[in-house]
Structures are given as C-alpha cells and as structure tokens.
Amino acid sequence: MSYETLLLETRGRVAVITLNRPQALNALNSTVMTELCDLLGKLQTDAAIGAVVLTGSEKAFAAGADIKEMQSLDFVDVYLGNLFSGWDDIAGFRKPIIAAVSGFALGGGCELAMMCDFIIATKTAKFGQPEITLGVIPGMGGTQRLTRAVGKAKAMDLCLTGRMMDAHEAESCGLVARVVDQERLLEEAVAAAEKIAGFSQVAVGMVKETVSRAFEQTLTEGLRFERRLFHSLFSTEDQKEGMAAFVEKRKAVFKNR
Ligand code: CAA
C-alpha cells in the first residue's frame, strides 16, 4: 500500500500511520481524507492488526483543514459537496485508534485527534480551534467533541478566542490522556496499542463501542447542525477575507458580512 500523504508501518499487531505533508504542516486536504479513509477501511478488515496509532511530525500533528483548498469555495460548493463529511468514516473506525500528538493540533487537526479513542501528547503539543480567526467555525466536530471532552468553559474559550492550549492544560482539562517526552511519544503510543491488541478483540471492540456511546449520544445531531452552519459561512465575505489573509500572510479585516 502506497499513499501520497501517509506513511504506514506495522509493528507487531499495531499499524502506525504517519500524516506526511510536511510542507503544509500536515494540513488535511481532500487527498489526506480519501487516503486515510481508504487505509483505515483496509485495516478494519485486516485480522493481523489489533490497534492503530495515528501520528504526524514533531512540528505538527496537523495544522488544520487545508485553508488553500477551501479558500475559493462558496456556500453552494460546500453544502452540495457536503465538505468534510468523509471524515465521519474515521470516527466510525471500529478498532482502537490512538492519536500520538506532537506540535500543532489545530482546527481539523485537533478534531482529527479527538476522533481517535484517546490522545497521547508530547510536552510541545498545542491544541486549538482557530477557525474563528478565518471567519468560520469548526466543521469536523470541534464544537461538539471539544465541548464534551473539556466542558463548556474551555470549549467556548478556545473556539471564541482561537487561542492554543499547551499539553499540560490539555491534560488537566481532560483532552489528553498522557503527556510524555518527545522521544518517548511513539514508543508510549505503540506500547499502549500493543497492549490493547493483545486483549480479546471482542471485549476491546465492546469497550470502544460502549465508552463511545456514553460520549456520543445526541452527537449526530450536534455534528449535523455544526456542519450546516460551517457550510453557510462560505457564503460570507468574512470567510473569503479570513482565508485570503492567511494565504497572503496578512491580518484579516472582517466586515461582518
Ligand atoms: N492549510 C493550508 N496550509 C497551511 C495550513 C493550513 N491549515 N497551516 C499551515 N499551512 C502552510 C502554510 O501556509 C505554510 O506554507 P507556505 O510555506 O507555502 O507559506 C506552511 O504550511 C508552514 O506554515 P507557517 O509558515 O504558517 O508555519 P509557522 O510555524 O509560522 O506557523 C501555524 C504554524 C501557527 C500552525 C500556522 O501555520 C497556522 O496558523 N496555520 C493555520 C492554522 C489554522 O487556522 N487551522 C484551522 C484551519 S480551518 C479548519 O481546520 C476548519 C475545520 O474545522 C476543519
């Protein structure tokens, strides 16, 4: 299996997937989405694989959805194309998946990490939902999963100000399960995944299903609502301005239109 934006390595019963778009800080474009869904689909039915670790580079797990790919889209494009709906497959993956996060996990990067079953982070990790700075809102589950993970106060703070939180803050508010030194990140995540892969896969599957159930009730409606609001922002001038300003490396001037 060979992919343009992903690397795959197998360690025993653990598949380690590395997001590999270093030139764009692993920004999540449609190729990453398609390839990740394709790969997870194959791993789903591979009896030799018991668990998955998803990681990025030292500098970035993923710096968000690809702004350059979204910049010119309008409301009709994103609504009819149901932008980001493909990511729902990741949350539907049935084997345990651990996010091993170093550096930036922003926007869609934070949302992708939250679609995994738990997050192990390095001390350098930075989490945030900066979409507000682009004139939009999170569109891959951030308003729903972050709020469930860390509560309303922190979720509002992060989504409304666009600020980043460090690994220590993320661990203390429940977003992150473990914080480790940089050089131990993959080792720790693979060891956890190996341990999980060694248990009864029936019981493991049921733990994943039931814990997720407790967490996800009513999530579907929340996500649908979020997606539609996210799509609608592509009809605003502020989305065009926010994304153009990022690409042109200048400060956005919003007109509230
Ligand atoms: N999309 C596209 N390209 C991106 C990107 C993104 N989300 N994030 C970084 N890049 C690109 C940059 O444009 C730059 O490319 P060039 O060299 O061609 O200019 C390259 O990656 C390196 O980035 P920087 O030079 O900006 O690196 P930095 O170290 O100075 O800053 C950063 C790092 C703070 C993470 C900064 O890159 C940044 O703010 N990125 C955008 C973060 C963001 O807004 N994410 C949310 C995206 S919207 C979203 O995710 C919607 C959703 O809900 C799904």
Side-chain angles (χ1 to χ4, degrees), residues 20 39-40 50 74 80 118 147 156 167 217 225 237:
N20 187 34
L39 176 52
L40 289 177
D74 64 21
L80 290 185
F118 63 94
T147 308
M156 283 287 191
Q217 270 170 347
F225 183 64
E237 289 176 24

Side-chain angles (χ1 to χ4, degrees), residues 122-145:
T122 66
K123 292 171 181 158
T124 66
K126 287 191 164 38
F127 297 87
Q129 297 292 158
E131 288 86 350
I132 194 81
T133 68
L134 300 168
V136 293
I137 64 171
M140 275 169 56
T143 63
Q144 305 302 297
R145 291 198 177 91

Side-chain angles (χ1 to χ4, degrees), residues 21-25 27-28 59 63-70 84 104 106-109 111 129-131 133-134 136-142 164 230 243 246-247 249:
R21 291 190 75 212
Q23 73 286 0
L25 300 184
L28 303 167
K59 179 161 183 190
D66 193 311
I67 301 167
K68 291 166 188 168
E69 194 177 65
M70 287 186 290
F84 295 157
F104 299 111
L106 301 176
E111 292 167 299
Q129 297 292 158
E131 288 86 350
T133 68
L134 300 168
V136 293
I137 64 171
M140 275 169 56
M164 297 182 209
F230 174 77
M243 294 193 181
F246 173 80
V247 172
K249 299 184 189 292

Side-chain angles (χ1 to χ4, degrees), residues 44-59:
Q44 182 91 65
T45 54
D46 184 346
I49 296 301
V52 172
V53 170
L54 178 63
T55 194
S57 68
E58 187 173 335
K59 179 161 183 190

Side-chain angles (χ1 to χ4, degrees), residues 75 78 227-236:
F75 172 73
V78 298
R227 180 84 29 83
R228 293 307 173 222
L229 291 186
F230 174 77
H231 290 163
S232 70
L233 285 164
F234 283 72
S235 63
T236 67

Side-chain angles (χ1 to χ4, degrees), residues 84-214:
F84 295 157
S85 57
W87 290 104
D88 298 344
D89 286 0
I90 314 268
F93 184 62
R94 294 189 66 204
K95 294 181 183 178
I97 175 164
I98 301 171
V101 175
S102 173
F104 299 111
L106 301 176
C110 185
E111 292 167 299
L112 177 59
M114 291 190 291
M115 286 177 207
C116 298
D117 296 310
F118 63 94
I119 301 173
I120 300 180
T122 66
K123 292 171 181 158
T124 66
K126 287 191 164 38
F127 297 87
Q129 297 292 158
E131 288 86 350
I132 194 81
T133 68
L134 300 168
V136 293
I137 64 171
M140 275 169 56
T143 63
Q144 305 302 297
R145 291 198 177 91
L146 186 65
T147 308
R148 281 165 170 75
V150 305
K152 178 183 168 187
K154 283 269 184 223
M156 283 287 191
D157 178 3
L158 290 169
C159 292
L160 283 173
T161 68
R163 78 172 174 91
M164 297 182 209
M165 69 175 165
D166 64 19
H168 171 70
E169 185 180 357
E171 185 185 30
S172 62
C173 68
L175 181 63
V176 161
R178 310 180 194 178
V179 177
V180 297
D181 288 331
Q182 183 68 49
E183 56 278 10
R184 286 207 25 87
L185 178 65
L186 214 49
E187 198 184 318
E188 182 98 3
V190 170
E194 254 167 9
K195 186 163 194 181
I196 294 165
F199 294 130
S200 157
Q201 295 305 286
V202 180
V204 163
M206 288 187 183
V207 168
K208 173 158 175 156
E209 213 172 340
T210 49
V211 174
S212 302
R213 184 84 189 247

